[in-house]
Amino acid sequence: MVLLPREQLCSRGAAAWGGALLGTEMVNQLWQQQCDSFCSQNYPLYIRSVPTENELKFHYTVHTSLDVVDEKISAMGKALVDQRELYLGLLYPTEDYKVYGYVTNSKVKFVMVVDSSNTALRDNEIRSMFRKLHNSYTDIMCNPFYNPGDRIHSRAFDTMVNSMMMQVC
Amino acid sequence: MRGEARALPSAVSAVPQRSGSGGSAGRAGGRRGRARPEAGPAAAAGALRSRRGAHRAGTAPSPPQRGAAPGPRHTSRPTARPPGRPPAPRRRGARCPAERLYLRRPAMEQGPSGGSGPAAAAAGTGGLLLPLSETEQQRYSELFSRCCPPPEAAAGGSSVGELFRASQLPPDTLHQITEVCGAKRVGYFGPAQFYIALKLIAAAQSGFPVRIESIKNELPLPRFMALKNDTEVRYGTPAEFHGVKFQGPHGTLEKNSYKRADEGDKQEPKSPPMSPICSPPASPSTYQRIPLSYGYGKARSGLEQQHGAPYEVRHSTHQQDGPSSGNYGAKSALTCSTPNRSLSVEREQQDSNTQYSDDPWRITEEQRDYYINQFRSLQPDLNAFISGSVAKNFFTKSKLPIPELSHIWELSDVDCDGALTLPEFCAAFHLVVARKNGYQLPETLPETLLPEYLQAACLKPLRDCALFDSYSEPLPSTQQTRDFTRAEKSSAEEVPDNSALLQDGKKDDKQALKVSTTLKTIPKEFQHLTVKAAAQEPNALRARPRSRSYSSTSIEDAMKKGEEPPTPPPRPQKSHSRASSLDLNKIFQQNTQAVRSGWLPPPPPALPPRPSVSQTEQPSEVELHPQMNRPPSQAEENSSAKKEVVLAQPPSKPARRKLRTEAQGLETPELSPTINVTSSLPAVKPHLPVQKQSSKQKRAIQTAIRKNKEANAVLARLNSELQQQLKEVHKERIALETQLEQLRPVTVL
């Protein structure tokens, strides 16, 4: 999941890839899923991959998809921001995998890369996964010891992501 | 002769015991655990010595002293003479009982002189081995090292005096202890005397008389009121009271024998057992200070300690200040409870031991009290929350690394609301305590730390505010002591450590001051914390928002939200005054649970149901519940009501509506006939004519009911979705605001 930052938040100039990356790759080769969550500055806050081989490739995919997310955000955001849907849907389908995006109101982006061969993964499931991620992220934000923008080291979050990815696998 | 004769049989009997202790003694402190069961070569030597000792003991000690279980003890005691006793027999003898204590200690941390001596003595002692558990050994050694710099053989009188004062025993008791342990006699506090004294303090704190024999029992660790440290001083008394065997006279006798061996001053040790009040004769000058400051209420009867917290021991001796103890104001009440607790500890030691080892995550009463006091310092209202920032500042003082604190927060903030209720706070505090004491943080919150679990326990002391009530708590005291010691230790850390710093007694003083001031400021900061009715309520309330089942994140939902304000949560089942049929009840139950904003314009919130409304009250009920817009159900209800006297709790809405429409002539036209019909309902008896009319209307009403039900179901779904969406949006907003806050200072714009 890639959470794209708002333009204003990007004003920091830290154009580098900030954002939290959640990369999850499915263990099963038929599945490839990667979840990334990016914060406003587009540097990864959390990234997890299930099967860890070719992880870099998924990281790259997630990062490149940030552009798509930005594009979608800007396109939608010009109008009523509130009406912008958090779930961005399929961002970037390739032959090997699909990339789904989700952005919260605080411009945290979640990017999920799923193996294209996983046809059983429907849109609703993706939505529910993003929802779970969003809920867990909100829980993390409630932790006073978590500074927004830090990398996410929450064990609860890890557990949730792992279970989610295992489930999809 | 008599004594000897007596001693001999006792010596024989003592052999097995002593063998155990002797064996352990032989280990020279290498072995921990109970020495008694261990047999060893030293046993034989010990037996011999015991005989000798018994002889000596027999001569002087009074029969009663010997009576209790003295035989073996006597013999064992005298055998305390280490085989390789150096040429200072008297000293050794005096130390023997204490030296025996060293048996278990893996490392003779006592002064160098005591090192070999005690070891040797321990080897020789056998009999009177005061069973020193590992924790005891650690603690005692720590205490001793604190009181006595290693190079010295004897503990500094002043430090020892302070330590003894910290035990909060009455001056007389301390004098007795001093006498019994032999320090008075020998004029200093050698390792043996020190250990014996510690053991006696533990015994005294546990309610046992100050006698040597009481040392034989497994006592909890002596508790020392942290003049400076709050928690650290408490040496939990490990539930060593397994089978409290009050060796009673043995101990004294043995001690006496020892002392006598040195100087034949057996009367002194005996005096305590004989008469608890003995003005200490020439006590060492150091002890003369002891009687001065026993004003401290025993802050905590924190007894158990599972782990020898080294810093506890060290700190205890340095506690000069009482301010830290001030933190535990409530604890003073604990002192009263201490004797009870020690007794209970005694009984429950067996259980507590197992509990200790099994459940370090159980909060003892003392710990809970401490946590509650800390909570109060942050938030006076115990039913309110501690906000995240406040808690963060507070727990940061514990000097745990932030990731660990973050994890602790994750574990303890069950409802993930960014604030801590009292149970959550207790759990978090307990986790910090445990972590400080070396326990690894669990991955999930232990059961005993769940807010629900803690709430029942927390609310009790809150209400009672009496420490004595803690005894009624189910938690075994042993656990309490154990956890308590841990808590104490951690609390010393937690509470900013005014105590902790004091414990170190070096640089921490400044920090302690800082911390204490910080703590004081905390309550002021959080005076504004909102008060919630009850801790449970907030949890419940928070639990609700937490249910994040976003039905959709689409704009549609937002639009829906705007168009249709969510109806209030379904009211509890309204009872219908009239006895409606069961079917009607079910129907109404379904309807009531669903969102009622269905096909009518959002009706005003329904009034609470009226459980058993008599028939006469039905009309009034109807009027009171204007919301009922279920003509079909009403019709059914009416029909059913006609047939039954409603005393049950059928949903009152339909009936009310009917009645109201009847009265007001409003509502749907369907209702009117039913209303008319229902108007007759109050009179249960005249059903027949009404029934005819209602039957016609029944069908119409039933169809309307069906339609309404469908609409209700749809609206209910919509409502739930909207509510979820709303919650989600709230959360996002919070997250966003938090991020904004973070970004604000950095914004360069």
Side-chain angles (χ1 to χ4, degrees), chain A residues 9 11-12 83 85-86 102 105-106 108 131 134-135 137-139 142-145 147-148 154-156, chain B residues 388 392 405-407 409-410 416 418 443 546 548 550 553 555 728 731-732 735-736 738-739 742-743 749:
Chain A
L9 299 174
S11 63
R12 278 215 220 163
Q83 292 177 3
E85 183 174 329
L86 299 181
Y102 183 97
N105 287 333
S106 51
V108 179
R131 210 170 299 133
H134 195 174
N135 291 342
Y137 180 74
T138 312
D139 284 339
C142 286
N143 189 335
F145 297 100
N147 302 315
S154 158
R155 294 183 215 182
Chain B
K392 177 179 179 180
L405 288 173
S406 180
H407 183 61
W409 178 278
E410 269 183 20
C416 291
E443 291 296 322
R546 284 331 244 186
R548 303 188 201 155
Y550 302 106
T553 57
I555 298 178
E728 178 190 1
K731 300 218 170 77
E732 288 182 13
L736 178 58
T738 311
Q739 287 187 351
Q742 296 283 337
L743 296 166
L749 305 177

Side-chain angles (χ1 to χ4, degrees), chain A residues 85-157:
Chain A
E85 183 174 329
L86 299 181
Y87 176 68
L88 303 175
L90 187 64
L91 300 175
Y92 186 75
T94 68
E95 60 187 11
D96 293 333
Y97 49 82
K98 301 179 196 147
V99 181
Y100 295 92
Y102 183 97
V103 57
T104 69
N105 287 333
S106 51
K107 296 302 177 193
V108 179
K109 310 170 199 66
F110 293 98
V111 172
M112 193 181 308
V113 177
V114 185
D115 188 11
S116 291
S117 48
N118 182 14
T119 54
L121 200 59
R122 294 193 304 266
D123 192 65
N124 286 340
E125 294 174 12
I126 301 284
R127 281 178 187 262
S128 67
M129 292 168 73
F130 277 124
R131 210 170 299 133
K132 278 194 259 181
L133 280 169
H134 195 174
N135 291 342
S136 298
Y137 180 74
T138 312
D139 284 339
I140 289 177
M141 294 297 295
C142 286
N143 189 335
F145 297 100
Y146 173 77
N147 302 315
D150 292 349
R151 294 205 67 115
I152 296 175
H153 297 287
S154 158
R155 294 183 215 182
F157 195 73

Side-chain angles (χ1 to χ4, degrees), chain B residues 426-731:
Chain B
C426 291
F429 209 137
H430 195 71
L431 286 170
V432 175
V433 169
R435 187 73 187 93
K436 283 299 239 182
N437 292 328
Y439 286 89
Q440 288 303 315
L441 293 176
E443 291 296 322
T444 58
L445 195 63
E447 192 184 74
T448 53
L449 291 181
L450 287 174
E452 299 80 18
Y453 181 93
L454 290 174
Q455 239 161 26
C458 279
L459 292 180
K460 245 160 117 183
L462 289 182
R463 296 191 204 111
D464 300 334
C465 296
L467 297 172
F468 294 96
D469 295 341
S470 58
Y471 293 113
S472 60
E473 296 282 351
L475 293 179
S477 55
T478 54
Q479 284 178 347
Q480 299 166 6
T481 58
R482 218 214 251 163
D483 298 336
F484 188 64
T485 55
R486 265 182 286 144
E488 292 177 359
K489 294 173 194 167
S490 58
S491 58
E493 304 287 343
E494 311 275 337
V495 181
D497 319 331
N498 22 14
S499 54
L501 301 173
L502 295 174
Q503 296 160 6
D504 293 330
K506 300 165 187 182
K507 37 201 170 171
D508 304 346
D509 287 329
K510 296 177 191 174
Q511 296 175 7
L513 293 176
K514 286 188 231 160
V515 169
S516 52
T517 54
T518 314
L519 277 185
K520 288 167 197 166
T521 57
I522 288 177
K524 300 171 197 169
E525 298 170 17
F526 301 101
Q527 296 302 329
H528 65 275
L529 285 181
T530 60
V531 176
K532 302 220 176 168
Q536 290 129 355
E537 263 186 20
N539 287 338
L541 291 172
R542 286 165 186 277
R544 248 196 283 153
R546 284 331 244 186
S547 63
R548 303 188 201 155
S549 45
Y550 302 106
S551 56
S552 131
T553 57
S554 62
I555 298 178
E556 292 178 31
D557 291 347
M559 300 301 290
K560 284 180 195 172
K561 269 195 258 182
E563 292 168 359
E564 301 181 30
T567 58
R571 296 272 167 173
Q573 184 86 43
K574 292 193 174 71
S575 63
H576 199 282
S577 59
R578 300 182 193 168
S580 61
S581 64
L582 294 178
D583 297 335
L584 280 180
N585 290 338
K586 287 180 201 167
I587 292 167
F588 290 134
Q589 285 168 6
Q590 294 166 6
N591 291 338
T592 54
Q593 286 166 5
V595 177
R596 293 210 188 84
S597 61
W599 47 272
L600 283 185
L607 294 178
R610 287 173 178 249
S612 51
V613 180
S614 64
Q615 296 173 1
T616 56
E617 295 174 14
Q618 288 170 2
S620 58
E621 218 184 299
V622 168
E623 293 173 19
L624 290 174
H625 298 274
Q627 281 190 353
M628 301 317 312
N629 48 4
R630 314 253 169 117
S633 54
Q634 292 175 6
E636 293 180 10
E637 194 179 8
N638 290 335
S639 56
S640 63
K642 294 171 201 170
K643 293 166 190 178
E644 303 173 62
V645 178
V646 179
L647 287 180
Q649 308 255 340
S652 53
K653 281 188 183 177
R656 294 191 211 104
R657 267 187 93 79
K658 294 178 205 166
L659 293 175
R660 200 179 68 163
T661 54
E662 174 187 355
Q664 304 171 7
L666 300 177
E667 309 304 335
T668 63
E670 299 170 347
L671 296 176
S672 47
T674 59
I675 292 168
N676 296 332
V677 176
T678 56
S679 60
S680 61
L681 286 180
V684 179
K685 293 184 182 172
H687 288 317
L688 295 178
V690 179
Q691 284 177 5
K692 289 179 190 174
Q693 299 172 7
S694 60
S695 61
K696 297 177 194 173
Q697 295 148 2
K698 222 196 226 177
R699 284 177 230 119
I701 291 171
Q702 280 169 355
T703 52
I705 288 174
R706 267 179 249 116
K707 292 176 199 167
N708 289 336
K709 278 190 218 168
E710 292 166 5
N712 286 338
V714 171
L715 290 169
R717 255 180 277 122
L718 177 64
N719 181 43
S720 59
E721 288 182 0
L722 291 174
Q723 283 177 344
Q724 288 161 358
Q725 185 71 3
L726 180 64
K727 292 170 194 167
E728 178 190 1
V729 168
H730 281 321
K731 300 218 170 77

